[in-house]
Amino acid sequence: MLRVRSIKVNYGAIRALKGVSFHVKEGEIVTLIGANGAGKSTILNTVSGLLRPVSGEILLKDSPIHKLSPAQIVKLGVSQTPEGRQVFSTLSVRDNLILGAYPRRKQSDKSEIRKDVEEVEKLFPILKERNKQAAGTLSGGEQQMLAIARSLMARPKILLLDEPTMGVAPIMVAEILRTVKKLRDGGMTVVLIEQNAHAALSVADRGYVLETGRVVLDGTVEELLENKEVKRAYLGKGYQEVWE
Amino acid sequence: MGGSYAIIALGYTIIYNGTNIINFAQGEFVMLGGLFMVTLTGKFGLSIFPAFLIAVAATALVGLLVERLAIHPLRNADVMSVIIVTIGMSILLRGIAMLVWGKDAYAAQHFSGDKPIEILGATILPQSFWVIGIMILVVVALQVFYRFTITGKAMLACAVNKTAARLMGVNVENMLMLSFVLSGALGAVAGIIIAPITLAKYDAGVMLGLKGFCACILGGLGSGTGAVVGGLLLGVIESLGAGLISSGYKDAIAFLILLIALFLRPQGLLPLKEMMMRQESH
Ligand SMILES: Nc1ncnc2c1ncn2[C@@H]1O[C@H](COP(=O)(O)OP(=O)(O)OP(=O)(O)O)[C@@H](O)[C@H]1O
Ligand SMILES: [Mg+2]
């Protein structure tokens, strides 16, 4: 469904991605794990069209999207929930959701959008309870739920999640991961970025391990969990964090 | 007067809410609205209504040009430099207006005669009713725009978080243009409706712009309600002061208020709503 072929991306003179390739099949959860600064967010931002690759290509269902604008890409069904949530803090929870439907404002009428709001509120009931509140007043976990719900309002085919468990209370982490699984069971394709490798591998089907702008390892979750390097570098500490 | 300050203040608010920029050329939009109107009704002999529409559209176009020529090239600069550029734009627009219209003050046609009406012992110009009526219309229209249209919400979203807005498929660049077009149009509306009362002149925007800004600060920058309340309040205080002390001090009063407001309550007189929002969450 999504195929990224040896993309290289620069920030000014700095090369952040040195030729990254991966693919995502329909209905899969694929995780990209890696330490701080490995280039995970850079990958998602390039897929979303916020950054342009200097070389390489990105194919969505075999057609190239790496020259399109962010608006065109989200209209094609690729929706990102960015790192750090980035909700519209001064707007109400409800308005945040409505803005999520911005890419399809011309196709869908008001009643359809209202129905979708109800759908995502069913997925995250807290958002209904707080619908009039300013988004900035929600807790970290609630904001993360809002950010995911907002992405869903675009009715994406692929959801790109950038560290959805970062800075979120442990109970909420579990709930968010459960929801990600639920979405996949409903047919959604998901790219999940995590530093918390254990959390990521507990829900994903396949994974890629990134180090300083390169993919150093890939495989099914079972393979990655068995891999000595992964155990040492990513799970050792991660295990403790999750279970403590 | 308060009604037009309110509209000028709303012009500032639109741009501030869309971009976090304070556009110091806002007063020049007001001045241009008035002068366009004078020329269209005078030289071209148009009647009030079509002249109104054309003057508003022309000023909105100037707003668009300001954005394209001065703001857009600085899209990567920090907010402070952009604000300074708007000051430069205001000087430029004033200069152009002086070349086109000269240094004369022009009397604009009253919308429905200049015979004062007497109500409860006070004499009021019919134009004042136009000012208040149009202000109410503008306020309602803006409320509808921001609350009930997705474009209005997207515009607010751009100011809060540009990256997230882009990810939602909002074309941030178009939104910036739209906010300058809207506030150009609003400035023109204010300029047109008060031109019959205050006279239109190439440098009329300086004073009006600063008073609109003063109204914004009074009501709290970024708040639409605040802008209206601030504008009306400033109008009332000004005329009270003029009556009690001397009309010569009218302008000084506005600045005194601006200084006091900036000093005591830089967040404006209406922070109540935000306080309530914050409390709800706990
Ligand atoms: N706007 C930027 N300008 C310059 N360099 C950047 C910028 N954003 C990221 N980088 C650099 O690019 C590299 C990859 O960054 P990226 O944000 O993609 O990492 P990440 O894997 O998402 O890390 P994290 O886990 O901290 O989110 C890092 O070395 C970072 O310093
Ligand atoms: Mg990141």
Side-chain angles (χ1 to χ4, degrees), chain B residues 33-46 51 100-101 106:
Chain B
L35 283 172
F36 279 138
M37 189 69 178
V38 166
T39 302
L40 287 166
T41 50
K43 216 178 237 159
F44 293 97
L46 289 180
V100 176
W101 284 281
Y106 298 87

Side-chain angles (χ1 to χ4, degrees), chain A residues 134-183:
Chain A
T137 64
L138 301 181
S139 76
E142 289 164 354
Q143 287 189 22
Q144 187 63 59
M145 292 177 185
L146 175 57
I148 296 175
R150 185 181 61 180
S151 306
L152 291 175
M153 287 297 297
R155 288 196 180 164
K157 299 188 188 90
I158 300 190
L159 186 60
L160 312 175
L161 297 173
D162 197 342
E163 305 204 31
T165 65
M166 188 180 57
V168 172
I171 314 173
M172 292 241 186
V173 169
E175 188 176 343
I176 287 170
L177 292 176
R178 249 199 321 276
T179 312
V180 173
K181 262 189 169 161
K182 206 164 157 193
L183 287 170

